Amino acid sequence: MTTPLTFPDKAQRHSVNRRILLKGAAAAAAAGMTAQAASAASVTPFGQTGAPTTSTEPLPLGPLSGSRYPDSHLESMKKPNVSFGPSGFPAFAGTMAVERVATGMRWAEGPVYFPAGRYVLFSDIPNNRIMRFSEDDGHLSVYRQPSMNSNGNTIDREGRLITCEHSGRRVTRTELDGSITIIADKYNGKRLNSPNDAVVASDGSIWFTDPVYGIGGYYEGIKAEPEQEKHNVYRVDPKSGDIKVVVDDFVEPNGITFSPDEKKLYVIDTGFTDGPDNPSHIRVFDADVGAGKVSNGKVFAEMPKPSITDGMRCDTEGNIWCSVGWGDPKEDGVRCYTAQGDLLGKIHLPETVANLCFGGQQRNRLYICGSTSLYAVYTSAQGAMKP
């Protein structure tokens, strides 16, 4: 049977055309919403995710080449040395040597020791990860990736990780349940530059530095224009969470630490990286932790240009231990200064050094982040263990 062809009248044609128009409009709107949703979902990756290095032979672990007792990598500034080890330098602990305990990083930074777990966390900034070195069995693993190109790390009085993030442009706290709290990411309504290093005072206040290194390119963060006019040192109030500027006259504020009694605040200025006439030194201030103020700033120690110091920690005697690198290879390593600013001695390492911390069950093992590796050495000093 053949079905006859029929043609709609004018009213029917109008109805059909209207339905087609509405259907087309709905489809177009849906497509637009889909495109808009796709656009909203497209974001810049939070930093460079690690690309494995392809090398010939990995750097060897264990005591550094040529080590013997007493270790020649330790140099005392107090002359003459006694026959048994370098005199007057608390890095010497007897039968010990500087060891490379882990390697394989692109730029190791910001070590912090967790006594309860006997492990060190430290940043591998370009690889966008936080690494974990287990002290009990020497195991190295990835603690967090991506880490928002984390740089400096410390621990607060409740055992929580405090992290400075380049690509996040913020300071965060990792809670005991693993969740992450944003401590600071803006000041006066504008984004921070790239928080670098932090220290926690006994009242719970968090003090941190904010240079521009993390927004200078795509290797250690996300390239961006700075929103803060100055490169400040900030304090976060432990109760209100308010952020205020503590010091605003640094070229590039970097490492930061307190003296054991918290009456002194030490801050590194690595402004030399921005120009030859800029500083490469450590400054010291009288600190009033409760009031959140510092005063009477002065230069504590000058670094031998073109070398810079990047990070530092304090021992129980008030000595300052700081990194050295980026200049004369003979200066690569660690320097130790008395509280009066006198150089006590040096630890010589085969790589540029970024940062360090004290660890171990007796707080007498110095962990050192040197470029691609993590080093450790037992000392006769004890870290103040105040973050």
Side-chain angles (χ1 to χ4, degrees):
M1 177 179 178
T2 303
T3 302
L5 296 174
T6 58
F7 297 92
D9 59 21
K10 185 175 181 181
Q12 289 174 318
R13 290 197 302 271
H14 177 75
S15 177
V16 170
N17 291 340
R18 186 172 181 273
R19 287 199 301 273
I20 293 173
L21 181 63
L22 291 174
K23 189 175 181 180
M33 290 176 64
T34 303
Q36 185 178 10
S39 175
S42 177
V43 296
T44 302
F46 293 120
Q48 172 76 36
T49 300
T53 57
T54 54
S55 59
T56 50
E57 293 293 333
L59 294 175
L61 301 181
L64 296 182
S65 177
S67 294
R68 61 180 297 276
Y69 301 152
D71 191 351
S72 61
H73 293 93
L74 308 181
E75 180 188 3
S76 175
M77 297 297 105
K78 188 175 180 181
K79 306 295 183 182
N81 287 346
V82 296
S83 58
F84 186 67
S87 64
F89 183 25
F92 181 68
T95 54
M96 44 63 68
V98 181
E99 305 167 65
R100 182 184 285 112
V101 296
T103 192
M105 280 60 69
R106 288 189 184 273
W107 178 238
E109 250 279 20
V112 56
Y113 184 77
F114 283 76
R118 290 193 63 196
Y119 59 81
V120 181
L121 296 183
F122 62 97
S123 299
D124 183 4
I125 305 178
N127 280 334
N128 201 9
R129 59 186 182 174
I130 296 177
M131 306 300 292
R132 175 177 48 213
F133 173 77
S134 296
E135 185 178 62
D136 56 346
D137 64 359
H139 180 66
L140 180 69
S141 60
V142 176
Y143 172 79
R144 177 181 297 160
Q145 188 175 28
S147 66
M148 308 292 277
N149 295 110
S150 63
N151 189 330
N153 297 284
T154 191
I155 185 174
D156 71 7
R157 303 308 167 94
E158 297 180 44
R160 299 172 296 186
L161 173 67
I162 305 295
T163 301
C164 295
E165 300 176 353
H166 279 181
S167 55
R169 299 175 71 169
R170 63 188 189 178
V171 179
T172 62
R173 181 177 64 230
T174 301
E175 307 296 347
L176 298 180
D177 64 0
S179 60
I180 295 177
T181 300
I182 299 174
I183 300 299
D185 61 354
K186 291 183 175 66
Y187 176 70
N188 281 346
K190 297 180 180 180
R191 297 188 71 184
L192 298 173
N193 294 323
S194 60
N196 188 286
D197 204 359
V199 64
V200 182
S202 56
D203 66 351
S205 59
I206 299 173
W207 304 56
F208 68 94
T209 59
D210 189 38
V212 295
Y213 295 126
I215 56 175
Y218 295 104
Y219 186 65
E220 293 192 1
I222 302 295
K223 187 175 182 179
E225 291 297 320
E227 296 184 26
Q228 299 296 331
E229 181 181 355
K230 294 184 176 181
H231 307 165
N232 300 318
V233 179
Y234 295 94
R235 175 187 182 271
V236 182
D237 187 87
K239 296 180 180 179
S240 66
D242 292 340
I243 305 170
K244 76 172 187 178
V245 175
V246 179
V247 192
D248 67 355
D249 63 347
F250 278 82
V251 180
E252 296 288 5
N254 207 313
I256 184 171
T257 196
F258 280 110
S259 60
D261 59 7
E262 296 185 346
K263 293 183 178 180
K264 300 289 183 182
L265 177 70
Y266 298 87
V267 185
I268 292 169
D269 195 336
T270 49
F272 179 72
T273 61
D274 295 1
D277 296 328
N278 290 332
S280 175
H281 59 213
I282 302 172
R283 291 170 64 183
V284 61
F285 302 85
D286 293 330
D288 186 336
V289 169
K293 296 180 179 179
V294 298
S295 59
N296 302 322
K298 63 180 181 181
V299 174
F300 171 75
E302 291 281 0
M303 294 300 113
K305 293 180 178 180
S307 296
I308 61 171
T309 180
D310 197 324
M312 59 185 164
R313 289 293 186 270
C314 194
D315 68 23
T316 55
E317 299 300 318
N319 299 316
I320 294 295
W321 301 70
C322 68
S323 67
V324 181
W326 293 105
D328 185 349
K330 294 179 181 179
E331 295 292 343
D332 287 349
V334 174
R335 287 185 165 210
C336 178
Y337 292 90
T338 67
Q340 292 72 41
D342 298 322
L343 181 61
L344 278 175
K346 305 176 183 179
I347 302 174
H348 296 282
L349 293 176
E351 298 184 82
T352 282
V353 173
N355 215 325
L356 46 83
C357 75
F358 282 96
Q361 292 182 302
Q362 303 300 328
R363 309 191 313 275
N364 65 332
R365 198 177 196 199
L366 189 66
Y367 284 100
I368 307 163
C369 282
S371 300
T372 67
S373 307
L374 179 68
Y375 297 86
V377 59
Y378 284 102
T379 73
S380 57
Q382 284 186 303
M385 287 305 289
K386 291 185 177 181

